[in-house]
Amino acid sequence: MDVGAVGGLRNVKDAISVARKVMENTRHSLLGGELAADFARQMGFTKESLQTEKSKKMFDDWVQNRCQPNFWEANVEPNPAESCGPYRQAQQQQVETNIDRAERQLPQSGEDQHDTIGVVALDTRGRLVSGVSTNGQNHKIAGRIGDSAVTGAGAYADGDVGAAAATGDGDIIMRFLPRYSILFGGGTDASGRLAASRHGDGGEAHGSQVSALPRRGHCSEQARRVRCVLPWL
């Protein structure tokens, strides 16, 4: 199995193409941060601003709203429910004060909070692949890397079993590797059908939605709540 991924990649538009270069041109599986951007430029990718008028307005509105919602816990100061920081570790008394204050606006993982694209495919030579690309959750803490860059969390493919890709709350998803589990937790039955018994809920318990492509083009009854894609090749 060949794997390539990048995380925390800034100012490079075609992140998934950079991930493919990691897979094809190196012996590594994952590169991250500014040095991943340096690698991208070595491979011929252009450095460019990805900011748009829409994204700038979203950010400005968020700052005007005291950076609400955000992903900081109440154990930092200044109070993340009331301030944009910068933050530092809070003393216990301050933590209790933060918790006692007005209820925080917490981040949600709805359809408008991320822009993940997931693909599973079977080519004419019978090779199974999966890939995921995302900008991550809105208002995330700088440096955060989610599930898309983690093999088995955002996507997984095995030539003998199938392929899967998904989207949702990446910070929860990456704790359980559900794309790997949905292929191997249930494995295949005697007919070669995908049997997603362990995560037969389609990953909903982990805040995600799954698309799966079983190797032999069948979906078992256990996998009925997974979005099962049947090949037409």
Side-chain angles (χ1 to χ4, degrees):
M1 182 179 71
D2 297 318
V3 173
V6 289
L9 185 70
R10 303 184 67 182
N11 299 319
V12 179
K13 182 179 293 185
D14 301 317
I16 199 164
S17 296
V18 180
R20 183 171 181 173
K21 287 295 184 181
V22 174
M23 180 180 70
E24 294 179 341
N25 293 87
T26 82
R27 297 183 181 181
H28 297 311
S29 296
L30 170 63
L31 299 180
E34 288 301 318
L35 296 181
D38 289 346
F39 168 81
R41 288 188 282 275
Q42 290 179 46
M43 293 292 102
F45 293 88
T46 303
K47 179 179 180 180
E48 57 186 308
S49 173
L50 305 185
Q51 179 177 280
T52 64
E53 289 299 320
K54 179 180 178 180
S55 67
K56 185 177 185 303
K57 184 179 187 306
M58 288 175 60
F59 178 77
D60 291 342
D61 290 347
W62 179 66
V63 172
Q64 287 294 319
N65 191 39
R66 297 172 294 126
C67 297
Q68 302 300 308
N70 62 59
F71 288 87
W72 289 94
E73 296 285 6
N75 57 3
V76 297
E77 57 181 356
N79 188 350
E82 302 174 346
S83 170
C84 290
Y87 306 105
R88 59 185 178 274
Q89 179 66 46
Q91 299 298 318
Q92 184 59 38
Q93 183 178 357
Q94 182 62 49
V95 174
E96 294 172 358
T97 300
N98 290 353
I99 294 174
D100 288 341
R101 288 184 178 175
E103 183 178 348
R104 289 187 61 190
Q105 182 181 352
L106 298 176
Q108 302 296 317
S109 188
E111 292 183 0
D112 60 344
Q113 297 301 311
H114 53 81
D115 56 359
T116 305
I117 298 173
V119 175
V120 292
L122 176 68
D123 71 11
T124 55
R125 296 172 60 183
R127 296 176 299 187
L128 273 171
V129 298
S130 63
V132 179
S133 183
T134 184
N135 191 49
Q137 290 191 323
N138 291 348
H139 317 311
K140 59 185 178 290
I141 297 172
R144 181 258 189 187
I145 295 177
D147 63 304
S148 294
V150 179
T151 304
Y156 199 82
D158 183 280
D160 295 325
V161 180
T167 183
D169 188 338
D171 293 294
I172 300 298
I173 291 171
M174 65 196 305
R175 302 173 193 178
F176 298 94
L177 300 181
R179 296 330 135 231
Y180 176 88
S181 297
I182 208 165
L183 294 176
F184 292 98
T188 55
D189 62 17
S191 301
R193 296 179 298 180
L194 180 66
S197 58
R198 182 176 176 187
H199 295 289
D201 60 356
E204 293 162 10
H206 307 310
S208 66
Q209 294 295 320
V210 183
S211 291
L213 178 64
R215 176 64 186 170
R216 294 177 59 181
H218 300 283
C219 289
S220 70
E221 182 66 18
Q222 294 98 318
R224 64 188 181 278
R225 295 183 66 185
V226 177
R227 184 180 301 163
C228 193
V229 184
L230 301 181
W232 57 86
L233 299 176

mmCIF file of all heavy atoms in Angstrom, residues 50-81:
data_model
loop_
_atom_site.group_PDB
_atom_site.id
_atom_site.type_symbol
_atom_site.label_atom_id
_atom_site.label_comp_id
_atom_site.label_asym_id
_atom_site.label_seq_id
_atom_site.Cartn_x
_atom_site.Cartn_y
_atom_site.Cartn_z
ATOM 1 N N LEU A 50 -4.279 32.195 -0.342
ATOM 2 C CA LEU A 50 -5.561 31.515 -0.531
ATOM 3 C C LEU A 50 -6.715 32.320 0.061
ATOM 4 O O LEU A 50 -7.852 31.857 0.085
ATOM 5 C CB LEU A 50 -5.509 30.125 0.107
ATOM 6 C CG LEU A 50 -4.369 29.209 -0.368
ATOM 7 C CD1 LEU A 50 -4.507 27.829 0.254
ATOM 8 C CD2 LEU A 50 -4.331 29.114 -1.882
ATOM 9 N N GLN A 51 -6.421 33.523 0.533
ATOM 10 C CA GLN A 51 -7.456 34.371 1.123
ATOM 11 C C GLN A 51 -8.385 34.910 0.047
ATOM 12 O O GLN A 51 -7.960 35.281 -1.044
ATOM 13 C CB GLN A 51 -6.814 35.536 1.868
ATOM 14 C CG GLN A 51 -7.817 36.488 2.504
ATOM 15 C CD GLN A 51 -7.137 37.582 3.289
ATOM 16 O OE1 GLN A 51 -6.711 37.376 4.412
ATOM 17 N NE2 GLN A 51 -7.010 38.760 2.689
ATOM 18 N N THR A 52 -9.668 34.941 0.367
ATOM 19 C CA THR A 52 -10.671 35.530 -0.515
ATOM 20 C C THR A 52 -11.401 36.634 0.246
ATOM 21 O O THR A 52 -11.256 36.764 1.472
ATOM 22 C CB THR A 52 -11.693 34.480 -0.969
ATOM 23 O OG1 THR A 52 -12.425 34.010 0.186
ATOM 24 C CG2 THR A 52 -11.007 33.296 -1.648
ATOM 25 N N GLU A 53 -12.173 37.428 -0.464
ATOM 26 C CA GLU A 53 -12.955 38.465 0.207
ATOM 27 C C GLU A 53 -13.922 37.846 1.211
ATOM 28 O O GLU A 53 -14.146 38.379 2.298
ATOM 29 C CB GLU A 53 -13.720 39.294 -0.830
ATOM 30 C CG GLU A 53 -12.836 40.205 -1.661
ATOM 31 C CD GLU A 53 -12.091 41.222 -0.807
ATOM 32 O OE1 GLU A 53 -12.706 41.757 0.143
ATOM 33 O OE2 GLU A 53 -10.908 41.478 -1.076
ATOM 34 N N LYS A 54 -14.487 36.691 0.851
ATOM 35 C CA LYS A 54 -15.423 36.014 1.746
ATOM 36 C C LYS A 54 -14.718 35.542 3.011
ATOM 37 O O LYS A 54 -15.222 35.745 4.127
ATOM 38 C CB LYS A 54 -16.064 34.825 1.032
ATOM 39 C CG LYS A 54 -17.041 34.052 1.901
ATOM 40 C CD LYS A 54 -17.651 32.881 1.145
ATOM 41 C CE LYS A 54 -18.596 32.091 2.042
ATOM 42 N NZ LYS A 54 -19.204 30.937 1.316
ATOM 43 N N SER A 55 -13.544 34.912 2.857
ATOM 44 C CA SER A 55 -12.843 34.401 4.038
ATOM 45 C C SER A 55 -12.348 35.542 4.925
ATOM 46 O O SER A 55 -12.342 35.426 6.154
ATOM 47 C CB SER A 55 -11.679 33.502 3.615
ATOM 48 O OG SER A 55 -10.670 34.235 2.948
ATOM 49 N N LYS A 56 -11.934 36.650 4.320
ATOM 50 C CA LYS A 56 -11.485 37.803 5.107
ATOM 51 C C LYS A 56 -12.638 38.384 5.915
ATOM 52 O O LYS A 56 -12.476 38.732 7.093
ATOM 53 C CB LYS A 56 -10.895 38.875 4.198
ATOM 54 C CG LYS A 56 -10.302 40.062 4.963
ATOM 55 C CD LYS A 56 -9.671 41.066 4.020
ATOM 56 C CE LYS A 56 -8.966 42.177 4.803
ATOM 57 N NZ LYS A 56 -9.876 42.875 5.737
ATOM 58 N N LYS A 57 -13.821 38.476 5.299
ATOM 59 C CA LYS A 57 -14.981 38.995 6.025
ATOM 60 C C LYS A 57 -15.374 38.064 7.166
ATOM 61 O O LYS A 57 -15.716 38.516 8.266
ATOM 62 C CB LYS A 57 -16.165 39.179 5.076
ATOM 63 C CG LYS A 57 -17.389 39.807 5.760
ATOM 64 C CD LYS A 57 -18.530 40.008 4.805
ATOM 65 C CE LYS A 57 -19.672 40.777 5.467
ATOM 66 N NZ LYS A 57 -20.132 40.172 6.739
ATOM 67 N N MET A 58 -15.321 36.749 6.912
ATOM 68 C CA MET A 58 -15.635 35.785 7.966
ATOM 69 C C MET A 58 -14.700 35.969 9.157
ATOM 70 O O MET A 58 -15.133 35.950 10.315
ATOM 71 C CB MET A 58 -15.524 34.359 7.428
ATOM 72 C CG MET A 58 -16.634 33.954 6.488
ATOM 73 S SD MET A 58 -16.354 32.306 5.775
ATOM 74 C CE MET A 58 -16.310 31.301 7.260
ATOM 75 N N PHE A 59 -13.411 36.162 8.872
ATOM 76 C CA PHE A 59 -12.438 36.339 9.946
ATOM 77 C C PHE A 59 -12.682 37.647 10.691
ATOM 78 O O PHE A 59 -12.675 37.680 11.931
ATOM 79 C CB PHE A 59 -11.021 36.312 9.379
ATOM 80 C CG PHE A 59 -9.957 36.544 10.415
ATOM 81 C CD1 PHE A 59 -9.580 35.535 11.284
ATOM 82 C CD2 PHE A 59 -9.344 37.790 10.539
ATOM 83 C CE1 PHE A 59 -8.606 35.750 12.252
ATOM 84 C CE2 PHE A 59 -8.374 38.013 11.501
ATOM 85 C CZ PHE A 59 -8.001 36.989 12.361
ATOM 86 N N ASP A 60 -12.908 38.731 9.966
ATOM 87 C CA ASP A 60 -13.141 40.029 10.602
ATOM 88 C C ASP A 60 -14.388 39.991 11.477
ATOM 89 O O ASP A 60 -14.395 40.532 12.598
ATOM 90 C CB ASP A 60 -13.276 41.121 9.541
ATOM 91 C CG ASP A 60 -11.966 41.408 8.823
ATOM 92 O OD1 ASP A 60 -10.899 41.031 9.352
ATOM 93 O OD2 ASP A 60 -12.008 42.004 7.725
ATOM 94 N N ASP A 61 -15.447 39.343 10.989
ATOM 95 C CA ASP A 61 -16.679 39.231 11.780
ATOM 96 C C ASP A 61 -16.438 38.411 13.042
ATOM 97 O O ASP A 61 -16.981 38.719 14.113
ATOM 98 C CB ASP A 61 -17.787 38.577 10.951
ATOM 99 C CG ASP A 61 -18.287 39.479 9.835
ATOM 100 O OD1 ASP A 61 -17.968 40.687 9.853
ATOM 101 O OD2 ASP A 61 -18.981 38.970 8.927
ATOM 102 N N TRP A 62 -15.627 37.366 12.916
ATOM 103 C CA TRP A 62 -15.309 36.502 14.063
ATOM 104 C C TRP A 62 -14.547 37.284 15.127
ATOM 105 O O TRP A 62 -14.848 37.187 16.321
ATOM 106 C CB TRP A 62 -14.495 35.312 13.561
ATOM 107 C CG TRP A 62 -14.067 34.328 14.592
ATOM 108 C CD1 TRP A 62 -14.865 33.514 15.341
ATOM 109 C CD2 TRP A 62 -12.716 34.031 14.967
ATOM 110 N NE1 TRP A 62 -14.097 32.721 16.160
ATOM 111 C CE2 TRP A 62 -12.778 33.014 15.950
ATOM 112 C CE3 TRP A 62 -11.473 34.501 14.553
ATOM 113 C CZ2 TRP A 62 -11.631 32.476 16.536
ATOM 114 C CZ3 TRP A 62 -10.337 33.966 15.131
ATOM 115 C CH2 TRP A 62 -10.419 32.971 16.117
ATOM 116 N N VAL A 63 -13.576 38.080 14.713
ATOM 117 C CA VAL A 63 -12.811 38.895 15.661
ATOM 118 C C VAL A 63 -13.727 39.918 16.333
ATOM 119 O O VAL A 63 -13.642 40.144 17.554
ATOM 120 C CB VAL A 63 -11.631 39.593 14.954
ATOM 121 C CG1 VAL A 63 -10.957 40.596 15.887
ATOM 122 C CG2 VAL A 63 -10.614 38.561 14.470
ATOM 123 N N GLN A 64 -14.621 40.540 15.563
ATOM 124 C CA GLN A 64 -15.563 41.503 16.132
ATOM 125 C C GLN A 64 -16.472 40.849 17.167
ATOM 126 O O GLN A 64 -16.946 41.501 18.100
ATOM 127 C CB GLN A 64 -16.408 42.126 15.013
ATOM 128 C CG GLN A 64 -15.657 43.122 14.147
ATOM 129 C CD GLN A 64 -15.251 44.365 14.926
ATOM 130 O OE1 GLN A 64 -16.010 44.886 15.744
ATOM 131 N NE2 GLN A 64 -14.032 44.835 14.687
ATOM 132 N N ASN A 65 -16.694 39.542 17.010
ATOM 133 C CA ASN A 65 -17.534 38.787 17.943
ATOM 134 C C ASN A 65 -16.704 38.171 19.070
ATOM 135 O O ASN A 65 -17.072 37.156 19.647
ATOM 136 C CB ASN A 65 -18.301 37.690 17.187
ATOM 137 C CG ASN A 65 -19.389 37.050 18.017
ATOM 138 O OD1 ASN A 65 -20.081 37.718 18.781
ATOM 139 N ND2 ASN A 65 -19.535 35.735 17.879
ATOM 140 N N ARG A 66 -15.554 38.786 19.385
ATOM 141 C CA ARG A 66 -14.658 38.339 20.453
ATOM 142 C C ARG A 66 -14.141 36.918 20.215
ATOM 143 O O ARG A 66 -13.958 36.138 21.129
ATOM 144 C CB ARG A 66 -15.349 38.432 21.820
ATOM 145 C CG ARG A 66 -15.728 39.848 22.220
ATOM 146 C CD ARG A 66 -16.586 39.877 23.473
ATOM 147 N NE ARG A 66 -17.886 39.262 23.222
ATOM 148 C CZ ARG A 66 -18.383 38.271 23.951
ATOM 149 N NH1 ARG A 66 -17.720 37.797 24.981
ATOM 150 N NH2 ARG A 66 -19.564 37.761 23.667
ATOM 151 N N CYS A 67 -13.927 36.597 18.934
ATOM 152 C CA CYS A 67 -13.381 35.289 18.540
ATOM 153 C C CYS A 67 -14.240 34.135 19.042
ATOM 154 O O CYS A 67 -13.740 33.119 19.539
ATOM 155 C CB CYS A 67 -11.938 35.129 19.017
ATOM 156 S SG CYS A 67 -10.810 36.333 18.284
ATOM 157 N N GLN A 68 -15.559 34.306 18.884
ATOM 158 C CA GLN A 68 -16.507 33.252 19.250
ATOM 159 C C GLN A 68 -17.158 32.688 17.993
ATOM 160 O O GLN A 68 -17.571 33.448 17.122
ATOM 161 C CB GLN A 68 -17.584 33.810 20.182
ATOM 162 C CG GLN A 68 -17.052 34.417 21.451
ATOM 163 C CD GLN A 68 -16.275 33.436 22.292
ATOM 164 O OE1 GLN A 68 -16.764 32.349 22.595
ATOM 165 N NE2 GLN A 68 -15.060 33.810 22.654
ATOM 166 N N PRO A 69 -17.249 31.350 17.867
ATOM 167 C CA PRO A 69 -16.754 30.333 18.801
ATOM 168 C C PRO A 69 -15.270 30.069 18.590
ATOM 169 O O PRO A 69 -14.689 30.478 17.586
ATOM 170 C CB PRO A 69 -17.579 29.107 18.423
ATOM 171 C CG PRO A 69 -17.787 29.268 16.942
ATOM 172 C CD PRO A 69 -17.963 30.753 16.720
ATOM 173 N N ASN A 70 -14.648 29.361 19.549
ATOM 174 C CA ASN A 70 -13.259 28.943 19.380
ATOM 175 C C ASN A 70 -13.051 27.598 20.062
ATOM 176 O O ASN A 70 -13.968 27.050 20.673
ATOM 177 C CB ASN A 70 -12.290 30.001 19.914
ATOM 178 C CG ASN A 70 -12.450 30.261 21.396
ATOM 179 O OD1 ASN A 70 -12.310 29.354 22.223
ATOM 180 N ND2 ASN A 70 -12.756 31.514 21.754
ATOM 181 N N PHE A 71 -11.852 27.069 19.945
ATOM 182 C CA PHE A 71 -11.576 25.709 20.407
ATOM 183 C C PHE A 71 -10.728 25.668 21.680
ATOM 184 O O PHE A 71 -10.168 24.625 22.019
ATOM 185 C CB PHE A 71 -10.875 24.921 19.295
ATOM 186 C CG PHE A 71 -11.785 24.576 18.148
ATOM 187 C CD1 PHE A 71 -11.958 25.464 17.098
ATOM 188 C CD2 PHE A 71 -12.485 23.384 18.120
ATOM 189 C CE1 PHE A 71 -12.793 25.159 16.033
ATOM 190 C CE2 PHE A 71 -13.329 23.064 17.071
ATOM 191 C CZ PHE A 71 -13.485 23.956 16.020
ATOM 192 N N TRP A 72 -10.647 26.790 22.404
ATOM 193 C CA TRP A 72 -9.884 26.821 23.647
ATOM 194 C C TRP A 72 -10.729 26.339 24.815
ATOM 195 O O TRP A 72 -11.933 26.597 24.879
ATOM 196 C CB TRP A 72 -9.389 28.237 23.923
ATOM 197 C CG TRP A 72 -8.308 28.674 22.983
ATOM 198 C CD1 TRP A 72 -8.467 29.368 21.820
ATOM 199 C CD2 TRP A 72 -6.908 28.429 23.117
ATOM 200 N NE1 TRP A 72 -7.253 29.568 21.215
ATOM 201 C CE2 TRP A 72 -6.273 29.004 21.991
ATOM 202 C CE3 TRP A 72 -6.124 27.785 24.077
ATOM 203 C CZ2 TRP A 72 -4.895 28.957 21.802
ATOM 204 C CZ3 TRP A 72 -4.754 27.737 23.892
ATOM 205 C CH2 TRP A 72 -4.151 28.317 22.768
ATOM 206 N N GLU A 73 -10.089 25.648 25.760
ATOM 207 C CA GLU A 73 -10.763 25.221 26.982
ATOM 208 C C GLU A 73 -10.784 26.376 27.983
ATOM 209 O O GLU A 73 -10.078 27.378 27.829
ATOM 210 C CB GLU A 73 -10.048 24.010 27.597
ATOM 211 C CG GLU A 73 -10.073 22.755 26.732
ATOM 212 C CD GLU A 73 -11.424 22.062 26.739
ATOM 213 O OE1 GLU A 73 -12.382 22.606 27.327
ATOM 214 O OE2 GLU A 73 -11.525 20.965 26.154
ATOM 215 N N ALA A 74 -11.568 26.196 29.056
ATOM 216 C CA ALA A 74 -11.718 27.251 30.058
ATOM 217 C C ALA A 74 -10.511 27.375 30.976
ATOM 218 O O ALA A 74 -10.471 28.278 31.819
ATOM 219 C CB ALA A 74 -12.974 26.992 30.891
ATOM 220 N N ASN A 75 -9.506 26.502 30.817
ATOM 221 C CA ASN A 75 -8.353 26.525 31.723
ATOM 222 C C ASN A 75 -7.214 27.401 31.217
ATOM 223 O O ASN A 75 -6.052 27.173 31.540
ATOM 224 C CB ASN A 75 -7.850 25.106 31.986
ATOM 225 C CG ASN A 75 -7.481 24.363 30.711
ATOM 226 O OD1 ASN A 75 -7.551 24.912 29.615
ATOM 227 N ND2 ASN A 75 -7.095 23.101 30.856
ATOM 228 N N VAL A 76 -7.545 28.389 30.371
ATOM 229 C CA VAL A 76 -6.562 29.372 29.931
ATOM 230 C C VAL A 76 -7.082 30.765 30.267
ATOM 231 O O VAL A 76 -8.269 30.957 30.538
ATOM 232 C CB VAL A 76 -6.280 29.266 28.412
ATOM 233 C CG1 VAL A 76 -5.678 27.916 28.064
ATOM 234 C CG2 VAL A 76 -7.545 29.527 27.592
ATOM 235 N N GLU A 77 -6.176 31.726 30.261
ATOM 236 C CA GLU A 77 -6.569 33.115 30.450
ATOM 237 C C GLU A 77 -5.855 34.001 29.435
ATOM 238 O O GLU A 77 -4.768 33.634 28.979
ATOM 239 C CB GLU A 77 -6.261 33.570 31.881
ATOM 240 C CG GLU A 77 -4.817 33.431 32.299
ATOM 241 C CD GLU A 77 -4.594 33.887 33.735
ATOM 242 O OE1 GLU A 77 -5.536 34.375 34.373
ATOM 243 O OE2 GLU A 77 -3.451 33.758 34.201
ATOM 244 N N PRO A 78 -6.481 35.105 29.045
ATOM 245 C CA PRO A 78 -7.807 35.588 29.443
ATOM 246 C C PRO A 78 -8.919 34.620 29.028
ATOM 247 O O PRO A 78 -8.691 33.720 28.233
ATOM 248 C CB PRO A 78 -7.931 36.921 28.702
ATOM 249 C CG PRO A 78 -7.006 36.792 27.541
ATOM 250 C CD PRO A 78 -5.859 35.969 28.021
ATOM 251 N N ASN A 79 -10.086 34.828 29.593
ATOM 252 C CA ASN A 79 -11.221 33.933 29.378
ATOM 253 C C ASN A 79 -11.513 33.793 27.879
ATOM 254 O O ASN A 79 -11.847 34.774 27.211
ATOM 255 C CB ASN A 79 -12.452 34.497 30.094
ATOM 256 C CG ASN A 79 -13.620 33.524 30.084
ATOM 257 O OD1 ASN A 79 -13.600 32.515 29.399
ATOM 258 N ND2 ASN A 79 -14.639 33.855 30.860
ATOM 259 N N PRO A 80 -11.408 32.579 27.311
ATOM 260 C CA PRO A 80 -11.633 32.407 25.875
ATOM 261 C C PRO A 80 -13.078 32.637 25.450
ATOM 262 O O PRO A 80 -13.359 32.735 24.259
ATOM 263 C CB PRO A 80 -11.205 30.955 25.629
ATOM 264 C CG PRO A 80 -11.369 30.280 26.946
ATOM 265 C CD PRO A 80 -11.027 31.313 27.970
ATOM 266 N N ALA A 81 -13.995 32.738 26.416
ATOM 267 C CA ALA A 81 -15.382 33.061 26.092
ATOM 268 C C ALA A 81 -15.582 34.554 25.894
ATOM 269 O O ALA A 81 -16.637 34.985 25.431
ATOM 270 C CB ALA A 81 -16.313 32.566 27.197
#
